Amino acid sequence: SERPADFYAIQPIEIVVTGDYHKFGEFISAVAALPRIVTVHNINITPKPAKLNARSKAAAKRNRPQQRRLSMRIVAKTYRYVDEEEG
C-alpha cells in the first residue's frame, strides 16, 4: 500500500521475474528508463531448478553449457508528488 512521506508518497511493488542473468540486466535497464523515479531494493537472485526437456538433454550430451535459469525477487518503489490539496 502507498505510504505518505513529507511532500510525496511511496508505492512499493514486489516483483518476481525468471530468466537468465542478461535478461535481468535488460529488465533493470528498462525500469531505469521509466519516466518516473523508481528505486530497487532487497534484490534476491536464486538459481531455479533445471527442468530437463529433450532440448536440454541433447545439449548436455554435446557438452554444451545451458544458460542457467534464475529467479529474481525485488521491491521496486515508485514516488509521486502529493500536492497541498491532496494532503
Side-chain angles (χ1 to χ4, degrees):
S1 62
E2 193 172 80
R3 292 180 293 169
D6 294 333
F7 56 89
Y8 59 94
I10 303 168
Q11 176 70 48
I13 304 164
E14 186 173 348
I15 301 171
V16 178
V17 293
T18 301
D20 63 35
Y21 183 79
H22 297 289
K23 291 293 183 185
F24 290 169
E26 291 175 20
F27 175 77
I28 294 297
S29 179
V31 169
L34 291 172
R36 64 173 27 194
I37 297 172
V38 180
T39 57
V40 179
H41 306 266
N42 304 333
I43 300 169
N44 185 5
I45 299 175
T46 56
K48 296 239 353 152
K51 292 182 181 178
L52 292 179
N53 58 23
R55 188 176 191 179
S56 58
K57 287 177 186 177
K61 286 182 183 177
R62 293 189 303 270
N63 292 325
R64 297 175 85 190
Q66 288 288 309
Q67 288 188 337
R68 186 81 187 247
R69 303 275 300 163
L70 303 169
S71 176
M72 180 172 63
R73 180 181 299 267
I74 63 173
V75 174
K77 294 182 181 178
T78 64
Y79 302 83
R80 77 175 177 86
Y81 176 73
V82 177
D83 60 14
E84 293 177 15
E85 291 177 8
E86 192 176 348

